[in-house]
């Protein structure tokens, strides 16, 4: 059971509580960011990584103004719905939210988390999310795209049959992550997997995990995720409903549009 944090950092309206030694070595090279979005691809993928890799809970993020008064119970401990996880080898740090962010909370979260990553000395900000397509039901193998703040990333993933996202809109947490990551000098990489818009999509999440794991050198078996896909769809329905409302507030449907200058 968790006790008092070793350290608490304040970034604007966010409190980051650490239960680990942030200055021990090695410094995590990657920070993986997981917030509910299209098809819950990010949430499903990251929860699977936590379970499959048996990641340790090393921190939590809280805010009296940006998060609702909610606690989740894990292993008999009440904790914030936004948690930090890390493997024993400290190769990466994961930020996992179990609730969707309000539109007004997105920018403060991205700003605080990127500042925290900078303090830790993280090199890469990574994420997996869904890219809603109308013909998802017809796709046996959804395509994975990548958006990045660094051109060299596109060349490195091309051999994995991952295509660069050339044109379009991105809305929400990952859109801001790319923009702010570039401004702050991070190598920011977001993998986007063709998925359903508002139906939990574990199959798309599995393809996202493969792309992420190959890029970061993290071995993750997706067999169990695919075997339990139907149960996951049922178990995440309520989260999908909450996320659908948040996406509507952020006008996620704009992602299907072409930028005006290319029309």
């Amino acid at each position: 059971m968790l006790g008092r944090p070793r350290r608490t950092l304040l970034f604007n309206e966010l409190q980051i509580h650490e239960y680990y030694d942030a200055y021990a070595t090695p410094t995590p090279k990657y920070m993986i960011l997981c917030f509910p979005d299209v098809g819950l691809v990010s949430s499903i993928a990251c929860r699977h990584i936590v379970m499959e890799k048996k990641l340790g809970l090393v921190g939590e993020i809280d805010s009296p103004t940006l998060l609702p008064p909610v606690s989740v119970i894990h292993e008999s401990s009440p904790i914030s719905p936004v948690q930090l996880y890390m493997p024993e080898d400290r190769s990466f740090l994961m930020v996992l939210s179990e609730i969707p962010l309000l539109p007004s909370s997105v920018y403060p979260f991205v700003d605080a988390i990127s500042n925290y990553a900078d303090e830790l000395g993280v090199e890469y900000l990574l994420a997996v999310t869904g890219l809603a397509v109308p013909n998802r039901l017809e796709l046996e193998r959804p395509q994975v795209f990548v958006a990045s703040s660094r051109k060299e990333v596109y060349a490195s993933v091309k051999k994995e049959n991952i295509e660069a996202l050339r044109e379009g809109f991105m809305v929400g947490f990952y859109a801001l992550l790319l923009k702010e990551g570039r401004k702050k000098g991070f190598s920011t990489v977001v993998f986007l997997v063709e998925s359903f818009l508002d139906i939990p999509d574990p199959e798309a999440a599995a393809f996202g995990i493969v792309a992420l794991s190959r890029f970061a050198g993290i071995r993750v078996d997706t067999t169990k995720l695919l075997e339990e896909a139907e149960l996951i769809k049922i178990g995440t329905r309520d989260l999908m409903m909450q996320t659908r409302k948040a996406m509507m507030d952020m006008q996620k449907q704009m992602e299907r549009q072409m930028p005006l200058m290319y029309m």
Side-chain angles (χ1 to χ4, degrees), residues 106-229:
V106 171
Y107 183 83
F109 258 87
V110 171
D111 186 54
I113 290 171
S114 56
N115 286 336
Y116 181 53
D118 189 43
E119 174 165 322
L120 295 178
V122 167
E123 296 179 36
Y124 289 85
L125 302 179
L126 305 181
V128 174
T129 187
L131 181 65
V133 292
N135 64 332
R136 173 64 183 95
L137 199 59
E138 303 165 15
L139 300 177
E140 183 176 342
R141 185 181 181 87
Q143 177 65 47
V144 181
F145 296 86
V146 64
S148 178
S149 60
R150 297 289 174 89
K151 289 184 178 180
E152 56 267 26
V153 168
Y154 296 117
S156 69
V157 300
K158 194 171 183 179
K159 61 181 180 294
E160 302 291 347
N161 194 33
I162 297 173
E163 297 183 15
L165 188 66
R166 298 291 181 187
E167 309 293 346
F169 284 111
M170 289 184 66
V171 178
F173 181 88
Y174 301 107
L176 275 178
L177 180 67
L178 283 163
K179 187 167 61 175
E180 293 303 308
R182 175 185 56 79
K183 291 178 182 177
K184 294 178 181 179
F186 289 106
S187 294
T188 309
V189 184
V190 178
F191 295 99
L192 303 102
V193 191
E194 292 179 324
S195 69
F196 295 110
L197 173 64
D198 52 8
I199 299 174
D201 200 335
E203 293 85 358
F207 281 92
I209 290 173
V210 171
L212 178 70
S213 62
R214 288 177 178 172
F215 181 84
I218 305 166
R219 296 183 57 136
V220 183
D221 187 354
T222 59
T223 303
K224 188 174 182 181
L225 173 61
L226 293 171
E227 289 175 347
E228 297 180 352

Side-chain angles (χ1 to χ4, degrees), residues 62-64 67-71 81 99:
D62 222 332
S63 173
L67 290 174
V70 172
S71 291
I99 59 172

